[in-house]
Amino acid sequence: MYLRWCHDIGREQAANKPLLKTVFQVMMRLFSPRKTTLMFVIRDKTRTPLENLEPVLREDIQKIWDAVPKPEAHKETPLSEFFNVEVVALSSYEEKEEQFKEQVANLRQRFFHSIAPGGLAGDRRGVVPASGFSFSAQQIWKVIKENKDLDLPAHKVMVATVRCEEIAKEKFANFSANEEWRQIEDSVQSSPVSGFGKKLSSTLNACLLEYDEEAIYFDEGVRSAKRKQLEEKLLQLVQPAYQSMLGHIRSGALEKFKEAFDKALNAGEGFSSAARTCTQSYMALFDEGCADAVIEQANWDSSKVRDKLRRDIDTHVASVRAVKLSELTSSFEAKLNEALSGPVEALLDGANSETWPAIRKLLQRETESAVAGLSSALAGFEMDEQTRDKTLTSLENYARGVVEAKAKEEAGRVLIRMKDRFSMLFSHDSDSMPRVWTGKEDIRGITKTARSASLKLLSVMVAIRLDDEVDNIESTLSSALMDTKSNAAVTERSITTYDPLASSAWDEIPSSRTLITPVQCKSLWRQFKTETEYSVTQAISAQEANKRNNNWLPPPWAIVALIVLGFNEFMTLLRNPLYLGFIFVAFLLVKALWVQLDISGEFSNGALPGLISLSTKLLPTVMNLIKRLAEEGQIPATNVPQRNPALAAKTYRNGNGTTSDMSTASSGVTNTENGTEYSSASKDD
């Protein structure tokens, strides 16, 4: 009879399987085929019907039979030749005690009547009479002694295996349900647990001690093996909690490292020194935490977690290092940009022969100052010489780039700068006062001077001259653009003659430092001359107009001609004084018309516009004068305080925007005994 737990059916490692295998082997080797009843009693049958459990059990038995090595005589012998297999099920004693006892009583009766026909005794061919029982028992015992396969220690091992496994399962279940373990497991998921290693080691020791106490009387080898299996299962159960604990220790050490590292840097400690000190301190803190979390029963290695913490610390240090270096270089770059941009722009705006030497001197001074400051700041980073030199070289290149960028920016506005410089020099004198074109200024010379200064500005802006090299760009531009004789000769020469500006590159300047090509210079100069020509023309026109306004006398030859041709008329006037009075009166009338019509102002804008304007104003002005003379003649003599009163002065604005105060012609009419007398006078203020 073999006892089998219901939950072991179908399992590969079920209890009694090794014993059953041994029984099969011995029966085939030592005994001839005869029917022996194998009764399998299933304990604590579940709700699964016996009809479903029995085929599974029989299949397991058949597999064991097929796997057992067989002698040649019985290789093809079926299981049914040796054994008569029966399966009986018993209900659970805990749940159905009465039914269990009843089934056990029935089974007991079957054993009582086992030798009855059809009883459990099975095949009756090997029945020994009672008189031969003593001899048969001696022979059976002899066979048992001679065959170790039938020795009782095998049964002892089997019992120890089953019981130790049951004890181990029970202790594992007790540990899993242990309140202290459950509390540690729940707590360690969210935060580290103080005394983690000691608490778990104590709980594990208690569990293993209970196993040892209950399994002490079983086979030592089996007991030790099952204890080792129990310990391994317990460690597998607690290992996730241990890993979580290590994770908390690692993350806590990392966060504390970051805080301490930032605090050390803010306090002014050197970067490398702070990183080294904080790393050593918090790696030691991690090691202390790991020592507190060590479980005595386990030999787990925390080096991987430690290595990960070290990698995280190194990564954080590297990232902070990159940020600090970036901030440091950015601050020095900003200072360089502020120190160079404005002064370089001012120097290029007042471009002259000393502009680029001054820019080079400024660049060298500011760059040396910035490099010295950055070099001092980098000392705390303990950089290798190559990296340090690379960083300082990058700052020097940045400073040079600021100057080059500003030069390119100003080169894009060179035409505006040229026109501004021309306008300043052409329209203002040496005292920076606006010029008044009176007719005495040398417009040609002033224009040449202003254009030369603008050309100087262009020659300075043509290329970047941060290296102390000499070039002849200024002389080339001057000869090609300012030398009028050379320009005239070029015009007369053949079109195939070489033009120094008919090129896209300068001979002395590489393309990387060229801002304005020769062809672009020629185009800019042409546009510059076109846009400044109007100012020159306006100055010439203003000068000629001023000359005309200030010159009232006819040319000398006209005066001589008048004297020669008018000699006879002059003598006639001397012989007849009445003509002189008539001429005087006519002069006064013409003078009054001249003032009233503002003839000089009308003709300042040109002859044709002046004639058109005078034609529209002549008749109204003449009528106005006649009317005023008539009004003066009607005034009684008693009301006239004196003869020939002057007319009120009036102010007229000429065409150039200037004002002139002229006294209008006046006429006085006086009645005397000898007749009427007219007088007329005019006065220029």
Side-chain angles (χ1 to χ4, degrees):
M1 182 180 71
Y2 292 90
L3 187 64
R4 195 76 171 268
W5 294 98
C6 185
H7 60 265
D8 278 346
I9 296 176
R11 292 175 55 191
E12 289 294 329
Q13 303 299 327
N16 291 335
K17 273 192 174 184
L19 179 60
L20 187 60
K21 184 177 180 180
T22 303
V23 170
F24 286 165
Q25 290 176 343
V26 172
M27 287 293 292
M28 285 187 294
R29 189 170 67 251
L30 302 179
F31 302 100
S32 60
R34 66 186 183 89
K35 289 281 186 175
T36 300
T37 300
L38 283 177
M39 177 178 285
F40 290 87
V41 180
I42 300 174
R43 277 292 311 269
D44 295 349
K45 187 180 76 67
T46 60
R47 295 179 181 180
T48 304
L50 182 61
E51 292 79 7
N52 295 341
L53 295 174
E54 185 175 351
V56 177
L57 182 59
R58 288 183 178 274
E59 184 179 356
D60 289 345
I61 297 170
Q62 185 64 42
K63 288 180 180 179
I64 296 172
W65 175 260
D66 294 338
V68 169
K70 303 178 182 67
E72 288 297 330
H74 299 295
K75 269 204 177 296
E76 301 300 330
T77 304
L79 176 66
S80 57
E81 289 292 328
F82 280 90
F83 301 100
N84 182 23
V85 180
E86 288 190 22
V87 179
V88 178
L90 299 178
S91 300
S92 173
Y93 178 80
E94 298 293 335
E95 297 177 0
K96 301 177 181 180
E97 181 179 356
E98 296 297 330
Q99 188 175 355
F100 175 81
K101 291 181 178 180
E102 182 181 351
Q103 292 171 348
V104 170
N106 293 335
L107 185 59
R108 185 182 300 113
Q109 291 299 321
R110 293 192 63 185
F111 276 95
F112 287 162
H113 303 287
S114 61
I115 59 174
L120 293 177
D123 191 352
R124 305 294 297 171
R125 289 177 295 174
V127 174
V128 178
S131 59
F133 174 77
S134 174
F135 179 76
S136 176
Q138 291 176 0
Q139 294 299 316
I140 291 173
W141 183 248
K142 181 180 179 180
V143 171
I144 290 174
K145 288 177 64 178
E146 292 176 355
N147 291 272
K148 294 183 179 180
D149 292 336
L150 300 178
D151 199 359
L152 289 180
H155 183 267
K156 179 182 178 181
V157 170
M158 177 197 69
V159 173
T161 300
V162 173
R163 282 297 299 140
C164 289
E165 184 173 352
E166 290 178 350
I167 295 170
K169 288 179 180 179
E170 180 183 355
K171 299 310 171 187
F172 181 81
N174 292 341
F175 180 86
S176 300
N178 184 277
E179 186 64 29
E180 184 177 4
W181 155 244
R182 297 294 295 274
Q183 185 176 358
I184 293 174
E185 185 182 27
D186 293 340
S187 300
V188 81
Q189 300 301 320
S190 56
S191 61
V193 177
S194 178
F196 176 86
K198 292 182 179 180
K199 292 178 181 179
L200 271 185
S201 298
S202 175
T203 306
L204 288 172
N205 276 333
C207 179
L208 294 174
L209 184 60
E210 291 177 1
Y211 170 85
D212 292 337
E213 290 175 353
E214 293 190 25
I216 191 172
Y217 298 109
F218 292 99
D219 182 78
E220 182 179 358
V222 175
R223 183 178 73 241
S224 299
K226 293 301 178 181
R227 188 184 191 279
K228 186 176 181 180
Q229 291 179 5
L230 173 61
E231 186 175 356
E232 290 176 354
K233 288 181 65 177
L234 290 173
L235 293 178
Q236 288 178 359
L237 179 65
V238 303
Q239 188 174 22
Y242 175 75
Q243 294 297 330
S244 298
M245 184 64 186
L246 290 185
H248 290 307
I249 297 172
R250 182 192 64 80
S251 59
L254 181 61
E255 292 301 321
K256 291 179 180 178
F257 167 82
K258 292 179 179 179
E259 294 176 3
F261 187 48
D262 291 342
K263 186 176 181 180
L265 293 179
N266 294 333
E269 187 177 351
F271 184 90
S272 297
S273 174
R276 185 167 50 251
T277 303
C278 292
T279 299
Q280 293 175 353
S281 175
Y282 288 94
M283 289 302 295
L285 180 65
F286 172 80
D287 293 338
E288 292 176 5
C290 289
D292 182 67
V294 168
I295 297 174
E296 296 177 0
Q297 293 79 9
N299 190 24
W300 291 328
D301 186 11
S302 62
S303 60
K304 291 184 178 180
V305 182
R306 191 180 194 278
D307 293 341
K308 187 176 188 310
L309 173 62
R310 185 57 186 262
R311 289 195 302 269
D312 292 342
I313 289 177
D314 292 342
T315 301
H316 179 72
V317 170
S319 64
V320 174
R321 178 190 182 93
V323 171
K324 292 294 183 182
L325 287 175
S326 177
E327 292 176 353
L328 197 60
T329 54
S330 296
S331 65
F332 279 95
E333 287 174 356
K335 293 178 182 178
L336 273 176
N337 188 54
E338 182 179 357
L340 293 174
S341 294
V344 169
E345 183 177 352
L347 288 171
L348 292 175
D349 185 27
N352 53 50
S353 57
E354 296 299 322
T355 296
W356 282 109
I359 291 177
R360 286 196 295 270
K361 186 176 180 181
L362 172 68
L363 175 62
Q364 182 179 3
R365 183 178 70 249
E366 297 298 335
T367 301
E368 289 177 354
S369 175
V371 167
L374 181 59
S375 178
S376 176
L378 292 178
F381 288 87
E382 298 181 3
M383 302 170 67
D384 59 89
E385 196 68 23
Q386 183 178 1
T387 306
R388 179 178 173 276
D389 293 343
K390 183 178 179 181
T391 303
L392 297 178
T393 303
S394 176
L395 184 63
E396 294 175 354
N397 294 335
Y398 176 82
R400 189 182 182 97
V402 170
V403 176
E404 293 179 354
K406 182 55 68 175
K408 291 178 182 178
E409 180 182 343
E410 293 301 312
R413 299 198 294 261
V414 66
L415 182 60
I416 299 174
R417 298 288 192 189
M418 291 170 64
K419 291 192 295 183
D420 290 344
R421 176 168 291 192
F422 177 86
S423 177
M424 177 60 68
L425 295 177
F426 184 78
S427 301
H428 296 76
D429 58 17
S430 58
D431 296 329
S432 299
M433 297 297 294
R435 292 185 189 275
V436 178
W437 304 105
T438 62
K440 300 178 182 179
E441 296 80 13
D442 182 9
I443 294 180
R444 182 181 297 275
I446 294 173
T447 302
K448 185 175 182 180
T449 301
R451 285 181 176 172
S452 297
S454 299
L455 185 64
K456 180 69 176 179
L457 173 64
L458 178 62
S459 66
V460 171
M461 299 300 302
V462 160
I464 298 172
R465 299 179 177 90
L466 293 179
D467 300 322
D468 193 6
E469 298 177 356
V470 180
D471 58 69
N472 59 354
I473 292 178
E474 183 177 356
S475 60
T476 301
L477 289 175
S478 179
S479 62
L481 301 177
M482 286 295 294
D483 192 348
T484 56
K485 295 180 180 179
S486 176
N487 291 340
V490 170
T491 305
E492 294 174 0
R493 288 199 300 264
S494 171
I495 193 171
T496 59
T497 304
Y498 172 73
D499 183 358
L501 298 183
S503 173
S504 60
W506 300 99
D507 294 337
E508 305 91 342
I509 304 297
S511 58
S512 60
R513 294 193 288 117
T514 300
L515 298 178
I516 306 173
T517 63
V519 174
Q520 291 173 336
C521 288
K522 192 171 185 179
S523 175
L524 284 170
W525 187 255
R526 186 183 301 112
Q527 186 177 355
F528 165 74
K529 289 184 66 177
T530 301
E531 295 184 8
T532 57
E533 194 68 33
Y534 178 74
S535 298
V536 179
T537 304
Q538 286 292 97
I540 295 173
S541 299
Q543 195 177 61
E544 291 178 352
N546 201 330
K547 287 180 180 180
R548 287 196 302 269
N549 292 336
N550 294 330
N551 189 7
W552 298 100
L553 293 175
W557 62 268
I559 296 174
V560 174
L562 286 174
I563 295 173
V564 173
L565 297 176
F567 181 77
N568 294 332
E569 288 75 6
F570 179 72
M571 295 304 296
T572 302
L573 290 175
L574 291 178
R575 294 189 185 96
N576 191 353
L578 293 176
Y579 287 147
L580 290 176
F582 177 77
I583 291 173
F584 181 70
V585 172
F587 171 75
L588 292 177
L589 291 174
V590 171
K591 181 64 175 179
L593 286 174
W594 184 278
V595 174
Q596 290 287 334
L597 294 174
D598 191 16
I599 293 176
S600 61
E602 296 292 345
F603 279 96
S604 64
N605 296 325
L608 183 59
L611 291 174
I612 295 174
S613 178
L614 289 176
S615 64
T616 59
K617 295 167 61 177
L618 180 60
L619 184 59
T621 304
V622 172
M623 296 300 295
N624 187 32
L625 285 175
I626 295 173
K627 181 179 178 182
R628 294 179 64 182
L629 288 172
E631 291 176 353
E632 291 290 335
Q634 294 175 0
I635 298 175
T638 57
N639 295 335
V640 179
Q642 62 181 10
R643 298 178 63 187
N644 302 328
L647 297 177
K650 295 185 179 181
T651 302
Y652 298 88
R653 184 174 298 274
N654 59 25
N656 290 328
T658 60
T659 61
S660 60
D661 296 335
M662 305 295 294
S663 298
T664 59
S666 61
S667 299
V669 181
T670 306
N671 292 326
T672 61
E673 294 179 353
N674 297 327
T676 304
E677 181 179 354
Y678 294 89
S679 65
S680 176
S682 66
K683 182 180 180 181
D684 294 335
D685 294 335

